[in-house]
Structure formats: structure tokens, C-alpha cells
Amino acid sequence: MEKIKSCLLLMRPKQWIKNVFLFAPLVFSGQFLYVESFIIAVCAFLLFCVASSATYILNDYVDIENDRKHPVKSKSRPLASGDLSKTEALCLISTLYTILIASYFVMPDVILVILVYLGLNVAYTFHLKHQPVIDIFIIAFGFVLRVYAGSVAILVPLSSWMFITTLSLALYLAAIKRKQELMISGTNARSVLRYYNSELVDKYAEMSATCALLFYSLFVISDKPDLVLSIPFVIFGLYRYWFVVESKGGGESPTDALFSDVQLQAVILGWIVFCGYMLIY
């Protein structure tokens, strides 16, 4: 039982919430009203969960020594803490890759997008995470690929507004993540942090948050005017997330920040309900 628990922890199911970005095309295209499209999107979501877990395992496998020096990861990561062996991790990641290969014959277009995601993350794990600025963009582009996979799955074109808004929001989250890593562990957490400082990543975060809000507003005003009242939800969500980061130090993991703050959860739920209602009626 302990091994199963450690395997699940290694796969980081809490992080699967990031894959809900995949449902954006389903929602904004109105396809969520059709059962077939909804089921297809859910299947694509599950495949991305498998793929993201595979990348987390690979990253933990490669970063095991650095994680052992981290005040939190040394206790929370199964490989770093010694709860799982490297051999067991390799067996698990092989199983996940096998699932993805088999799924190619069911959803080939989605798997091709996932292959790009996996390729980028392999490059990130072994080299690109040591390259300043590029490392932030690779993290952000992973979210864009999630949205693109959602559009490919249900056969709708990816909106240019959705693309640039997602990219901007993801860059904001990635910049905040780097800032919190600097604040918590300094440059010891990862080698690329020696190129950054708090002032620089603050500027990155401010610019990205501004762009995300601007592009989302333009998208709503030009393409979905009925959703104009959703803009205050987005503004409050950005403000609240920044508050959680600054006052509670929760930005190193956006997922932990979300799960730890009721107001952040409420505003996201409110945004989803409002947009869903307006798109239906």
C-alpha cells in the first residue's frame, strides 16, 4: 500500500488540475453542450494527465540530487526521500509511455500534440531548464499545448486570442514560480536561478499579467461580448493570486496556491459558472 501511495505521489495527481486548460476550446466554442464532444475532451484530458505525470517522473529522476537539497522536495518527493527506487520510477514511466503509444491508435492527433509536449519537456529536463528566459517560456508553452490539444480533440480551430491569452497567463504563473523559488531556496533550488533576481521576475510577472488581462478583455469584447462581465472575475483572480503569493508564499506551486485559498477557488468557480451560463443562454 505504501508503494502505491508513493507511486501516486510521484505522478503528482494534484498537478493534473493544470490540464483543465485543455477544456477552454470546448467551453468557448459551445461544444460542451454536445455529449460526444465532452467525452472526447475528457479522454484527451486524461491522456494529458498521463503525459504530464510521465514528465514529472522524468524530471524527478534527473533532479533527484538537487531535490534532496531542497527543504520541501527532499521530504515530499518519493525519489528524493527514498520512498521509491530509481528502478521503480523507470518501470512506472515506461507504463505511462506504453499507455500513450497505445492511445495513438484511438486519438492520433491528440497524441501528436502530446508528443510535442513530451519532447519539449525532455529538452527542458536535460538542457533548457538551465537557460534563462527560455526556461520560463517552455513552462508557459506547455499550457498552450494543452489548449491546442483541446481544440484538436474536438476539431475546432484554436482562437488567436485564446492562444496569446493562455501564453500570457502561463508566463505570469511561471515568473511567479521563479520568484518564489528565489525567495524560499535562493539559487540553490536550480542552477538557472542564479541568472534571476526578484526585481527582474517581478517585472516579468507584471508585464505578463497585464498582457493576459488585456488580451482576454479584447477577446471577450471582440468575439464574446456577452462575457464582458466575466472580466472582473479575471481581475479579482489575478489580484487574489498575487495576494496569496505575497502574503502566504504560495507561488512556487500554483496548484498549492489554488487548493489553499477559498477565495481563489470561489472566483474561478464563479467565472466558470458565469461563462457557462452566458454561453448557453
Side-chain angles (χ1 to χ4, degrees), residues 69-252:
K69 302 174 184 177
H70 193 279
V72 177
K73 295 178 182 179
S74 59
K75 300 176 182 177
S76 62
R77 301 283 172 86
L79 284 175
S81 64
D83 292 335
L84 283 179
S85 67
K86 287 186 175 182
T87 301
E88 289 168 328
L90 289 176
C91 288
L92 182 56
I93 197 172
S94 297
T95 301
L96 296 179
Y97 283 145
T98 301
I99 292 172
L100 293 175
I101 292 171
S103 299
Y104 175 80
F105 299 99
V106 181
M107 304 184 75
D109 292 338
V110 173
I111 292 299
L112 288 177
V113 178
I114 287 176
L115 285 176
V116 175
Y117 171 81
L118 291 173
L120 276 177
N121 276 278
V122 169
Y124 174 84
T125 297
F126 287 99
H127 180 64
L128 296 182
K129 67 181 178 182
H130 304 298
Q131 305 302 314
V133 181
I134 292 177
D135 67 313
I136 293 177
F137 269 81
I138 293 297
I139 294 173
F141 199 63
F143 286 90
V144 175
L145 286 174
R146 288 171 169 89
V147 175
Y148 183 58
S151 68
V152 167
I154 61 173
L155 302 177
V156 298
L158 177 62
S159 162
S160 298
W161 289 118
M162 191 175 295
F163 164 78
I164 194 64
T165 301
T166 302
L167 178 62
S168 298
L169 179 60
L171 285 170
Y172 164 67
L173 295 174
I176 290 294
K177 176 180 174 66
R178 288 292 182 261
K179 178 182 178 180
Q180 287 304 109
E181 288 173 339
L182 278 169
M183 292 177 62
I184 294 173
S185 305
T187 58
N188 295 323
R190 56 180 78 241
S191 62
V192 74
L193 292 177
R194 69 179 185 271
Y195 298 108
Y196 294 121
N197 57 60
S198 294
E199 292 76 16
L200 177 62
V201 291
D202 264 339
K203 291 176 182 178
Y204 287 164
E206 290 169 6
M207 181 173 66
S208 299
T210 301
C211 287
L213 177 59
L214 174 63
F215 291 133
Y216 178 78
S217 300
L218 290 172
F219 162 60
V220 166
I221 292 170
S222 62
D223 286 5
K224 305 286 183 181
D226 290 340
L227 298 181
V228 69
L229 290 180
S230 71
I231 296 175
F233 286 91
V234 176
I235 297 174
F236 182 85
L238 290 172
Y239 272 50
R240 184 65 192 182
Y241 182 77
W242 220 317
F243 171 79
V244 172
V245 168
E246 293 292 337
S247 66
K248 301 180 181 179
E252 188 173 2

Side-chain angles (χ1 to χ4, degrees), residues 3-77:
K3 288 293 184 182
I4 294 175
K5 183 180 178 180
S6 295
C7 286
L8 288 174
L9 191 60
L10 187 63
M11 292 172 64
R12 300 190 215 172
K14 282 180 64 176
Q15 301 294 332
W16 291 349
I17 195 171
K18 296 175 182 177
N19 297 326
V20 299
F21 276 77
L22 187 145
F23 291 109
L26 179 75
V27 173
F28 287 101
S29 66
Q31 292 290 319
F32 66 93
L33 296 172
Y34 302 100
V35 175
E36 183 180 358
S37 296
F38 181 78
I39 292 174
I40 291 173
V42 169
C43 291
F45 168 81
L46 293 175
L47 288 176
F48 233 102
C49 289
V50 172
S52 57
S53 287
T55 63
Y56 295 141
I57 297 171
L58 178 62
N59 188 64
D60 284 1
Y61 185 90
V62 174
D63 279 355
I64 184 170
E65 296 303 326
N66 286 332
D67 287 347
R68 285 172 175 165
K69 302 174 184 177
H70 193 279
V72 177
K73 295 178 182 179
S74 59
K75 300 176 182 177
S76 62
R77 301 283 172 86

